[in-house]
């Protein structure tokens, strides 16, 4: 029996079960001391703030160097973001201005950070909303230096432990002893937080967004982290502890068993091959992609090149980053998606003419932005075409709503090809060009779109969101985000049929592709490629190898002939192929 008082529900950030003793990094609140200062003290207080900034910068640079040496480039890049925040006028200018109003530095910093936090709460995009925690962490470091305080380091861990903290910043992880840390549990954060990314990279369980777990545990408490369910259990009774230990053993055995599938094809028992590729956000993920048996990269998100910087990336930066992926993935192919960002994200990089939009999700972003600002688009296309001479590369346009955008994008692509030819630069002249089908208008005209491209890839995250009119990160309506809704299944079916009708292959790269429950349905519908998170590759591959195409088609026929949605959901959730 679970004691509900000791069960906390959070957000599953990295799968698996971890059991261990709590290593507690105490929650740290901002100092709320409000002290009025005289005009004569303002200069002295401002200098004290500047000294704290300088000390924080020195600490961060030292941290960045250590991160680079111990954890590699990926995490060092996360530290770059912290340095940029430190230089931001929001910190350097606004806090000094607040001090000049006659308050002490600590209080001025607190008030400015409070304003920034409120602004970030209003951002729709989950990734950018999560960055408020980065700013918060930088603020705490400045505050520590103002007050002369030090944070407890992870290097103090001397036995296998679960790290419980308010949040984990890149600097917290430089002294991380990987063999000692078995899991993370934090008060704040989401699926794209630093803690989540770190846990996924280390392949250890993590639950974030637990709100007040640091106040609920003591150092040395026994804790269970269930990264599959997003649950933390504090000091569980022996029966619960034993049950979880058995479940942990089962899951570890399943992982060892799944590892045997790494080099085997994703092929049904009656011989139908499905390509299993991986979704990646940066080149550092390729090691994990290959270790889990991927047959390519089905979605290379390139937005990371535009984050945490003050100018647009050059063609050479694009090229060098793509080259790392393309060469390591040979002989497999890599689908590079052109940028899927909103103009508001690029206005800080020198892009002029961007105006504030009330609803950026439906505004100037992705292919729309590229067509409005062709110089940005051409820079990326030149790099993609050049790297196509070094491996197997495909281009994919995001957020396509109709064939007009495809033709306009391809016209620019043809111009870039002519430029490269005139410069004597090589590229793959037969390079495949595809589109993401993620807007209902594209789904409903997929037959027309398929005639214009070489492949279709279904982006389920936005397709579900736009079709059902549900913001999946809005807690008030998130329960309405239903991948198995009949409208979604019908759209997927029609997209696949439209693609095949035009003689084109059809893949899926949204989160739905990573869900093993959906795999039999997608196989039955005739999907050709599934691009999933690296950790999910073995699970999806196992299901495909356990079913026949005939059984999958029968399942699809049963689902689509039913008018009972609840029955469909039960049928899907009782899939015999999950065992």
């Amino acid at each position: 029996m679970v004691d509900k008082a000791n069960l906390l529900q959070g957000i599953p950030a990295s799968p698996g079960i971890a059991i261990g003793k709590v290593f507690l990094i105490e929650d740290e609140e901002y100092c709320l001391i409000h002290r009025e200062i005289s005009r004569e003290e303002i200069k002295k207080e401002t200098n004290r703030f500047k000294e704290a900034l300088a000390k924080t910068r020195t600490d961060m640079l030292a941290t960045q160097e250590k991160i680079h040496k111990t954890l590699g480039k990926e995490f060092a890049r996360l530290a770059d973001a912290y340095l940029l925040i430190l230089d931001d006028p929001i910190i350097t200018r606004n806090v000094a201005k607040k001090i000049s109003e006659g308050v002490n530095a600590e209080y001025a910093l607190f008030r400015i950070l409070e304003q920034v936090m409120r602004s970030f709460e209003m951002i729709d995009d989950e990734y950018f909303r999560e960055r408020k925690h980065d700013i918060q962490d930088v603020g705490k470091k400045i505050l520590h230096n103002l007050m002369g305080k030090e944070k407890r380091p992870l290097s103090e861990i001397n036995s296998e432990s679960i790290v419980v903290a308010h949040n984990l910043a890149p600097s917290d992880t430089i002294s991380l002893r990987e063999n000692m840390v078995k899991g993370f549990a934090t008060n704040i954060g989401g699926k794209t937080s630093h803690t989540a990314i770190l846990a996924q990279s280390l392949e250890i369980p993590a639950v974030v967004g637990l709100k007040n777990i640091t106040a609920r545990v003591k150092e040395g408490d026994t804790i269970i982290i269930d990264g599959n369910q997003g649950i933390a259990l504090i000091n569980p009774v022996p029966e619960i502890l034993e049950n979880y230990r058995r479940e942990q053993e089962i899951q570890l055995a399943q992982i060892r068993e799944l590892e045997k599938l790494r080099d085997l094809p994703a092929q049904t028992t009656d011989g139908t091959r499905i390509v299993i590729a991986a979704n990646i956000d940066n080149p550092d993920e390729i090691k994990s992609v290959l270790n889990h048996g991927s047959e390519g990269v089905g979605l290379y998100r390139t937005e990371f090149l535009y984050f945490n910087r003050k100018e647009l990336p050059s063609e050479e930066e694009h090229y060098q980053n793509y080259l790392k992926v393309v060469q390591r993935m040979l002989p497999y192919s890599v689908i590079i998606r052109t940028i899927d960002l909103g103009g508001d994200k690029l206005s800080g990089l020198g892009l002029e003419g961007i105006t504030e939009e009330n609803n950026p999700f439906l505004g100037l972003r992705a292919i729309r932005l590229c067509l409005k600002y062709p110089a940005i688009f051409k820079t990326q296309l030149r790099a993609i075409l050049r790297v196509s001479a070094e491996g197997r590369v495909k281009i994919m346009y995001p957020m396509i709503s109709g064939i007009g955008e495809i033709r306009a994008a391809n016209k620019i692509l043809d111009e870039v090809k002519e430029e490269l030819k005139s410069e004597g630069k090589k590229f793959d002249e037969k390079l495949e060009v595809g589109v993401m089908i993620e807007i209902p208008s594209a789904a409903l005209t997929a037959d027309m779109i398929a005639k214009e491209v070489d492949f279709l890839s279904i982006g389920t995250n936005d397709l579900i969101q736009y079709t059902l009119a549900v913001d999946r990160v809005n807690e008030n309506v998130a329960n309405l985000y239903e991948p198995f809704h009949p409208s979604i299944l019908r759209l997927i079916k029609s997209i696949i049929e439209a693609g095949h009708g035009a003689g084109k292959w059809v893949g899926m790269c949204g989160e739905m592709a990573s869900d093993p429950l959906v795999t039999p349905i997608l196989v039955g519908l005739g999907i050709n490629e599934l691009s999933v998170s690296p950790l999910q590759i073995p699970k999806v591959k196992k299901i495909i190898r356990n079913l026949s195409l005939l059984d999958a088609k029968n399942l699809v026929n049963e689902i689509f002939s039913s008018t009972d949605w609840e029955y469909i959901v039960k049928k899907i959730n009782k899939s015999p192929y999950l065992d």
Side-chain angles (χ1 to χ4, degrees):
M1 184 77 180
V2 176
D3 180 357
K4 292 184 178 178
N6 290 329
L7 186 154
L8 300 180
Q9 179 70 56
I11 300 168
S14 184
I17 293 170
I19 302 171
K21 298 293 184 183
V22 167
F23 179 87
L24 179 62
I25 298 177
E26 299 272 5
D27 194 5
E28 301 158 338
E29 296 297 336
Y30 289 121
C31 177
L32 290 174
I33 296 172
H34 177 196
R35 183 168 60 85
E36 293 185 359
I37 59 174
S38 64
R39 290 180 62 85
E40 291 72 28
E41 290 178 287
I42 289 175
K43 185 175 181 182
K44 180 181 176 184
E45 198 67 5
T46 303
N47 286 338
R48 197 165 69 84
F49 173 64
K50 289 180 178 177
E51 288 169 6
L53 279 180
K55 173 75 167 55
T56 307
R57 165 171 286 282
T58 302
D59 293 345
M60 285 184 177
L61 287 170
T63 296
Q64 186 185 40
E65 181 62 24
K66 289 179 183 176
I67 291 174
H68 189 270
K69 289 180 179 175
T70 56
L71 293 176
K73 291 181 182 177
E74 180 184 354
F75 296 107
R77 192 163 47 243
L78 289 169
D80 287 344
Y82 278 51
L83 283 164
L84 284 171
I85 293 169
L86 196 64
D87 287 337
D88 198 292
I90 291 174
I91 301 291
T92 58
R93 185 184 61 203
N94 292 9
V95 175
K97 184 179 177 184
K98 193 70 182 175
I99 293 172
S100 71
E101 294 174 7
V103 297
N104 59 314
E106 290 90 344
Y107 184 74
L109 176 62
F110 167 75
R111 295 294 298 178
I112 295 301
L113 290 174
E114 193 178 50
Q115 292 172 11
V116 175
M117 293 302 106
R118 280 202 296 268
S119 300
F120 269 73
E121 287 290 349
M122 298 171 69
I123 297 176
D124 287 332
D125 186 287
E126 181 186 3
Y127 181 88
F128 286 96
R129 194 168 55 247
E130 280 294 322
R131 304 286 71 82
K132 71 179 181 181
H133 299 310
D134 296 339
I135 296 173
Q136 205 169 31
D137 283 329
V138 171
K140 283 185 177 180
K141 291 180 190 309
I142 301 170
L143 194 59
H144 290 164
N145 284 324
L146 277 169
M147 302 174 70
K149 289 187 174 181
E150 295 290 336
K151 191 174 183 180
R152 189 184 186 193
L154 288 176
S155 59
E156 288 186 9
I157 296 178
N158 53 21
S159 61
E160 293 187 352
S161 305
I162 308 291
V163 174
V164 178
H166 178 67
N167 191 26
L168 287 171
S171 56
D172 298 325
T173 59
I174 58 170
S175 56
L176 182 107
R177 301 171 68 182
E178 292 182 26
N179 58 332
M180 292 293 184
V181 176
K182 298 303 173 188
F184 295 137
T186 60
N187 289 346
I188 63 174
K191 290 189 175 184
T192 58
S193 63
H194 172 71
T195 305
I197 294 169
L198 177 64
Q200 290 162 18
S201 298
L202 296 174
E203 299 186 11
I204 60 174
V207 180
V208 298
L210 288 158
K211 297 181 180 176
N212 63 346
I213 189 167
T214 52
R216 299 284 297 274
V217 298
K218 298 190 303 295
E219 181 81 10
D221 277 351
T222 297
I223 188 169
I224 297 171
I225 298 298
D226 184 340
N228 306 312
Q229 303 296 323
I231 289 171
L233 289 147
I234 305 163
N235 291 324
V237 298
E239 292 81 2
I240 296 295
L241 195 58
E242 187 55 33
N243 285 342
Y244 262 98
R245 282 189 172 132
R246 279 200 294 269
E247 181 61 28
Q248 187 183 37
E249 281 300 316
I250 291 169
Q251 290 188 14
L252 290 173
Q254 289 173 339
I255 290 171
R256 289 192 289 270
E257 196 64 28
L258 288 171
E259 287 173 352
K260 297 176 183 175
L261 301 176
R262 191 181 74 169
D263 298 322
L264 296 176
Q267 181 172 300
T268 62
T269 56
D270 45 3
T272 298
R273 284 277 277 116
I274 311 291
V275 174
I276 303 296
N279 300 334
I280 64 167
D281 291 286
N282 63 69
D284 297 318
E285 294 178 69
I286 294 302
K287 181 180 177 182
S288 175
V289 167
L290 293 172
N291 284 344
H292 288 92
S294 177
E295 298 174 289
V297 171
L299 172 61
Y300 182 4
R301 302 183 182 97
T302 55
E303 291 75 34
F304 76 96
L305 284 164
Y306 297 81
F307 295 156
N308 308 320
R309 58 187 303 150
K310 294 180 177 177
E311 70 291 327
L312 291 165
S314 67
E315 177 187 327
E316 194 59 22
E317 283 179 85
H318 279 285
Y319 174 78
Q320 292 297 335
N321 275 282
Y322 303 156
L323 187 63
K324 292 176 191 172
V325 174
V326 170
Q327 288 185 330
R328 290 193 65 190
M329 286 306 299
L330 280 171
Y332 301 118
S333 64
V334 176
I335 299 177
I336 301 176
R337 183 180 72 180
T338 55
I339 59 168
D340 187 9
L341 285 174
D344 56 323
K345 308 299 184 301
L346 299 185
S347 59
L349 306 183
L351 191 63
E352 296 180 351
I354 299 292
T355 56
E356 187 175 345
E357 297 178 311
N358 290 330
N359 192 345
F361 270 115
L362 302 181
L364 186 64
R365 56 171 277 213
I367 197 67
R368 299 170 183 178
L369 181 83
C370 290
L371 296 178
K372 185 174 176 63
Y373 295 93
I376 293 175
F377 196 30
K378 282 187 172 183
T379 298
Q380 186 173 28
L381 292 177
R382 282 179 62 92
I384 296 173
L385 283 169
R386 283 174 55 205
V387 84
S388 71
E390 308 297 331
R392 297 183 60 199
V393 175
K394 300 170 186 175
I395 291 179
M396 182 160 67
Y397 304 139
M399 207 182 175
I400 290 292
S401 61
I403 58 174
E405 289 164 336
I406 299 169
R407 290 174 178 171
N410 280 339
K411 183 181 177 185
I412 295 174
L413 180 64
D414 289 340
E415 291 172 5
V416 173
K417 286 180 178 178
E418 289 304 316
E419 289 175 7
L420 292 175
K421 282 181 184 175
S422 66
E423 296 168 16
K425 292 179 177 172
K426 295 180 179 177
F427 61 90
D428 177 8
E429 298 202 22
K430 295 182 179 177
L431 171 142
E432 289 187 23
V433 177
V435 296
M436 286 185 75
I437 303 293
E438 53 188 335
I439 297 177
S441 65
L444 294 168
T445 56
D447 56 333
M448 299 165 65
I449 289 175
K451 294 174 184 173
E452 304 279 332
V453 296
D454 297 305
F455 65 90
L456 306 176
S457 185
I458 306 170
T460 53
N461 301 356
D462 280 345
L463 183 63
I464 296 169
Q465 187 163 249
Y466 294 143
T467 302
L468 301 181
V470 171
D471 178 358
R472 61 189 178 138
V473 297
N474 180 338
E475 60 188 16
N476 297 314
V477 294
N479 63 310
L480 299 176
Y481 184 86
E482 178 50 76
F484 300 139
H485 192 284
S487 63
I488 302 302
L489 296 178
R490 288 183 185 186
L491 279 179
I492 292 171
K493 182 173 183 285
S494 67
I495 294 167
I496 294 173
E497 289 175 348
H500 290 174
K504 310 296 167 62
W505 66 268
V506 182
M508 179 180 284
C509 58
E511 284 184 15
M512 204 168 170
S514 295
D515 185 349
L517 286 173
V518 191
T519 306
I521 300 172
L522 296 175
V523 172
L525 289 172
I527 201 84
N528 303 104
E529 176 179 304
L530 294 171
S531 190
V532 306
S533 65
L535 288 175
Q536 290 297 99
I537 290 172
K539 295 178 183 176
V540 173
K541 189 181 284 188
K542 180 185 176 185
I543 288 176
I544 292 172
R545 291 182 60 82
N546 280 348
L547 61 81
S548 70
L549 180 61
L550 180 62
D551 288 342
K553 285 184 174 180
N554 288 338
L555 173 66
V556 166
N557 289 336
E558 188 176 4
I559 288 173
F560 280 88
S561 61
S562 172
T563 56
D564 186 346
W565 183 34
E566 290 184 2
Y567 165 78
I568 291 174
V569 174
K570 286 181 182 176
K571 184 79 180 177
I572 293 170
N573 281 294
K574 289 183 178 178
S575 172
Y577 307 106
L578 295 175
D579 298 330

mmCIF file with all atom_site columns, all heavy atoms in Angstrom, residues 379-390:
data_model
loop_
_atom_site.group_PDB
_atom_site.id
_atom_site.type_symbol
_atom_site.label_atom_id
_atom_site.label_alt_id
_atom_site.label_comp_id
_atom_site.label_asym_id
_atom_site.label_entity_id
_atom_site.label_seq_id
_atom_site.pdbx_PDB_ins_code
_atom_site.Cartn_x
_atom_site.Cartn_y
_atom_site.Cartn_z
_atom_site.occupancy
_atom_site.B_iso_or_equiv
_atom_site.pdbx_formal_charge
_atom_site.auth_seq_id
_atom_site.auth_comp_id
_atom_site.auth_asym_id
_atom_site.auth_atom_id
_atom_site.pdbx_PDB_model_num
ATOM 1  N N   . THR A 1 379 ? 21.640 30.628 -46.646 1.00 0.00 ? 379 THR A N   1
ATOM 2  C CA  . THR A 1 379 ? 22.849 30.261 -45.886 1.00 0.00 ? 379 THR A CA  1
ATOM 3  C C   . THR A 1 379 ? 22.765 28.809 -45.439 1.00 0.00 ? 379 THR A C   1
ATOM 4  O O   . THR A 1 379 ? 23.719 28.034 -45.577 1.00 0.00 ? 379 THR A O   1
ATOM 5  C CB  . THR A 1 379 ? 22.997 31.181 -44.655 1.00 0.00 ? 379 THR A CB  1
ATOM 6  O OG1 . THR A 1 379 ? 23.153 32.519 -45.109 1.00 0.00 ? 379 THR A OG1 1
ATOM 7  C CG2 . THR A 1 379 ? 24.199 30.777 -43.815 1.00 0.00 ? 379 THR A CG2 1
ATOM 8  N N   . GLN A 1 380 ? 21.605 28.430 -44.918 1.00 0.00 ? 380 GLN A N   1
ATOM 9  C CA  . GLN A 1 380 ? 21.451 27.050 -44.453 1.00 0.00 ? 380 GLN A CA  1
ATOM 10 C C   . GLN A 1 380 ? 21.409 26.070 -45.619 1.00 0.00 ? 380 GLN A C   1
ATOM 11 O O   . GLN A 1 380 ? 22.023 25.000 -45.565 1.00 0.00 ? 380 GLN A O   1
ATOM 12 C CB  . GLN A 1 380 ? 20.180 26.916 -43.604 1.00 0.00 ? 380 GLN A CB  1
ATOM 13 C CG  . GLN A 1 380 ? 20.062 25.520 -42.985 1.00 0.00 ? 380 GLN A CG  1
ATOM 14 C CD  . GLN A 1 380 ? 18.912 25.396 -42.008 1.00 0.00 ? 380 GLN A CD  1
ATOM 15 O OE1 . GLN A 1 380 ? 17.910 26.110 -42.125 1.00 0.00 ? 380 GLN A OE1 1
ATOM 16 N NE2 . GLN A 1 380 ? 19.034 24.486 -41.065 1.00 0.00 ? 380 GLN A NE2 1
ATOM 17 N N   . LEU A 1 381 ? 20.697 26.429 -46.689 1.00 0.00 ? 381 LEU A N   1
ATOM 18 C CA  . LEU A 1 381 ? 20.603 25.525 -47.848 1.00 0.00 ? 381 LEU A CA  1
ATOM 19 C C   . LEU A 1 381 ? 21.973 25.294 -48.485 1.00 0.00 ? 381 LEU A C   1
ATOM 20 O O   . LEU A 1 381 ? 22.290 24.173 -48.907 1.00 0.00 ? 381 LEU A O   1
ATOM 21 C CB  . LEU A 1 381 ? 19.632 26.086 -48.884 1.00 0.00 ? 381 LEU A CB  1
ATOM 22 C CG  . LEU A 1 381 ? 18.154 26.116 -48.488 1.00 0.00 ? 381 LEU A CG  1
ATOM 23 C CD1 . LEU A 1 381 ? 17.319 26.767 -49.589 1.00 0.00 ? 381 LEU A CD1 1
ATOM 24 C CD2 . LEU A 1 381 ? 17.637 24.721 -48.188 1.00 0.00 ? 381 LEU A CD2 1
ATOM 25 N N   . ARG A 1 382 ? 22.784 26.332 -48.567 1.00 0.00 ? 382 ARG A N   1
ATOM 26 C CA  . ARG A 1 382 ? 24.134 26.174 -49.137 1.00 0.00 ? 382 ARG A CA  1
ATOM 27 C C   . ARG A 1 382 ? 24.926 25.146 -48.320 1.00 0.00 ? 382 ARG A C   1
ATOM 28 O O   . ARG A 1 382 ? 25.589 24.271 -48.878 1.00 0.00 ? 382 ARG A O   1
ATOM 29 C CB  . ARG A 1 382 ? 24.868 27.518 -49.148 1.00 0.00 ? 382 ARG A CB  1
ATOM 30 C CG  . ARG A 1 382 ? 24.457 28.465 -50.265 1.00 0.00 ? 382 ARG A CG  1
ATOM 31 C CD  . ARG A 1 382 ? 25.237 29.778 -50.154 1.00 0.00 ? 382 ARG A CD  1
ATOM 32 N NE  . ARG A 1 382 ? 26.682 29.559 -50.293 1.00 0.00 ? 382 ARG A NE  1
ATOM 33 C CZ  . ARG A 1 382 ? 27.333 29.636 -51.446 1.00 0.00 ? 382 ARG A CZ  1
ATOM 34 N NH1 . ARG A 1 382 ? 26.683 29.939 -52.563 1.00 0.00 ? 382 ARG A NH1 1
ATOM 35 N NH2 . ARG A 1 382 ? 28.620 29.411 -51.485 1.00 0.00 ? 382 ARG A NH2 1
ATOM 36 N N   . ALA A 1 383 ? 24.841 25.265 -46.998 1.00 0.00 ? 383 ALA A N   1
ATOM 37 C CA  . ALA A 1 383 ? 25.586 24.339 -46.133 1.00 0.00 ? 383 ALA A CA  1
ATOM 38 C C   . ALA A 1 383 ? 25.063 22.913 -46.295 1.00 0.00 ? 383 ALA A C   1
ATOM 39 O O   . ALA A 1 383 ? 25.855 21.953 -46.366 1.00 0.00 ? 383 ALA A O   1
ATOM 40 C CB  . ALA A 1 383 ? 25.471 24.791 -44.681 1.00 0.00 ? 383 ALA A CB  1
ATOM 41 N N   . ILE A 1 384 ? 23.745 22.762 -46.354 1.00 0.00 ? 384 ILE A N   1
ATOM 42 C CA  . ILE A 1 384 ? 23.168 21.411 -46.498 1.00 0.00 ? 384 ILE A CA  1
ATOM 43 C C   . ILE A 1 384 ? 23.574 20.806 -47.836 1.00 0.00 ? 384 ILE A C   1
ATOM 44 O O   . ILE A 1 384 ? 23.967 19.631 -47.913 1.00 0.00 ? 384 ILE A O   1
ATOM 45 C CB  . ILE A 1 384 ? 21.625 21.464 -46.370 1.00 0.00 ? 384 ILE A CB  1
ATOM 46 C CG1 . ILE A 1 384 ? 21.215 21.923 -44.975 1.00 0.00 ? 384 ILE A CG1 1
ATOM 47 C CG2 . ILE A 1 384 ? 21.031 20.078 -46.655 1.00 0.00 ? 384 ILE A CG2 1
ATOM 48 C CD1 . ILE A 1 384 ? 19.719 22.160 -44.820 1.00 0.00 ? 384 ILE A CD1 1
ATOM 49 N N   . LEU A 1 385 ? 23.489 21.598 -48.896 1.00 0.00 ? 385 LEU A N   1
ATOM 50 C CA  . LEU A 1 385 ? 23.867 21.078 -50.217 1.00 0.00 ? 385 LEU A CA  1
ATOM 51 C C   . LEU A 1 385 ? 25.350 20.698 -50.249 1.00 0.00 ? 385 LEU A C   1
ATOM 52 O O   . LEU A 1 385 ? 25.727 19.644 -50.766 1.00 0.00 ? 385 LEU A O   1
ATOM 53 C CB  . LEU A 1 385 ? 23.559 22.117 -51.291 1.00 0.00 ? 385 LEU A CB  1
ATOM 54 C CG  . LEU A 1 385 ? 22.077 22.234 -51.667 1.00 0.00 ? 385 LEU A CG  1
ATOM 55 C CD1 . LEU A 1 385 ? 21.839 23.472 -52.527 1.00 0.00 ? 385 LEU A CD1 1
ATOM 56 C CD2 . LEU A 1 385 ? 21.599 20.986 -52.412 1.00 0.00 ? 385 LEU A CD2 1
ATOM 57 N N   . ARG A 1 386 ? 26.189 21.549 -49.675 1.00 0.00 ? 386 ARG A N   1
ATOM 58 C CA  . ARG A 1 386 ? 27.632 21.245 -49.678 1.00 0.00 ? 386 ARG A CA  1
ATOM 59 C C   . ARG A 1 386 ? 27.922 19.941 -48.929 1.00 0.00 ? 386 ARG A C   1
ATOM 60 O O   . ARG A 1 386 ? 28.706 19.103 -49.369 1.00 0.00 ? 386 ARG A O   1
ATOM 61 C CB  . ARG A 1 386 ? 28.409 22.390 -49.049 1.00 0.00 ? 386 ARG A CB  1
ATOM 62 C CG  . ARG A 1 386 ? 28.579 23.612 -49.971 1.00 0.00 ? 386 ARG A CG  1
ATOM 63 C CD  . ARG A 1 386 ? 29.224 24.749 -49.209 1.00 0.00 ? 386 ARG A CD  1
ATOM 64 N NE  . ARG A 1 386 ? 30.486 24.352 -48.608 1.00 0.00 ? 386 ARG A NE  1
ATOM 65 C CZ  . ARG A 1 386 ? 31.019 24.930 -47.531 1.00 0.00 ? 386 ARG A CZ  1
ATOM 66 N NH1 . ARG A 1 386 ? 30.386 25.942 -46.944 1.00 0.00 ? 386 ARG A NH1 1
ATOM 67 N NH2 . ARG A 1 386 ? 32.157 24.520 -47.045 1.00 0.00 ? 386 ARG A NH2 1
ATOM 68 N N   . VAL A 1 387 ? 27.260 19.778 -47.785 1.00 0.00 ? 387 VAL A N   1
ATOM 69 C CA  . VAL A 1 387 ? 27.542 18.571 -46.989 1.00 0.00 ? 387 VAL A CA  1
ATOM 70 C C   . VAL A 1 387 ? 26.957 17.321 -47.650 1.00 0.00 ? 387 VAL A C   1
ATOM 71 O O   . VAL A 1 387 ? 27.372 16.198 -47.366 1.00 0.00 ? 387 VAL A O   1
ATOM 72 C CB  . VAL A 1 387 ? 27.021 18.758 -45.542 1.00 0.00 ? 387 VAL A CB  1
ATOM 73 C CG1 . VAL A 1 387 ? 25.551 18.414 -45.425 1.00 0.00 ? 387 VAL A CG1 1
ATOM 74 C CG2 . VAL A 1 387 ? 27.849 17.923 -44.566 1.00 0.00 ? 387 VAL A CG2 1
ATOM 75 N N   . SER A 1 388 ? 25.996 17.513 -48.560 1.00 0.00 ? 388 SER A N   1
ATOM 76 C CA  . SER A 1 388 ? 25.414 16.356 -49.262 1.00 0.00 ? 388 SER A CA  1
ATOM 77 C C   . SER A 1 388 ? 26.455 15.656 -50.134 1.00 0.00 ? 388 SER A C   1
ATOM 78 O O   . SER A 1 388 ? 26.272 14.500 -50.518 1.00 0.00 ? 388 SER A O   1
ATOM 79 C CB  . SER A 1 388 ? 24.212 16.782 -50.119 1.00 0.00 ? 388 SER A CB  1
ATOM 80 O OG  . SER A 1 388 ? 24.624 17.532 -51.248 1.00 0.00 ? 388 SER A OG  1
ATOM 81 N N   . ALA A 1 389 ? 27.559 16.356 -50.443 1.00 0.00 ? 389 ALA A N   1
ATOM 82 C CA  . ALA A 1 389 ? 28.633 15.742 -51.221 1.00 0.00 ? 389 ALA A CA  1
ATOM 83 C C   . ALA A 1 389 ? 29.484 14.802 -50.368 1.00 0.00 ? 389 ALA A C   1
ATOM 84 O O   . ALA A 1 389 ? 30.299 14.049 -50.886 1.00 0.00 ? 389 ALA A O   1
ATOM 85 C CB  . ALA A 1 389 ? 29.527 16.827 -51.825 1.00 0.00 ? 389 ALA A CB  1
ATOM 86 N N   . GLU A 1 390 ? 29.272 14.867 -49.033 1.00 0.00 ? 390 GLU A N   1
ATOM 87 C CA  . GLU A 1 390 ? 30.110 14.081 -48.109 1.00 0.00 ? 390 GLU A CA  1
ATOM 88 C C   . GLU A 1 390 ? 29.375 12.903 -47.498 1.00 0.00 ? 390 GLU A C   1
ATOM 89 O O   . GLU A 1 390 ? 29.956 12.180 -46.679 1.00 0.00 ? 390 GLU A O   1
ATOM 90 C CB  . GLU A 1 390 ? 30.604 14.995 -46.976 1.00 0.00 ? 390 GLU A CB  1
ATOM 91 C CG  . GLU A 1 390 ? 31.277 16.268 -47.445 1.00 0.00 ? 390 GLU A CG  1
ATOM 92 C CD  . GLU A 1 390 ? 32.549 15.982 -48.241 1.00 0.00 ? 390 GLU A CD  1
ATOM 93 O OE1 . GLU A 1 390 ? 33.167 14.947 -47.979 1.00 0.00 ? 390 GLU A OE1 1
ATOM 94 O OE2 . GLU A 1 390 ? 32.894 16.802 -49.117 1.00 0.00 ? 390 GLU A OE2 1
#
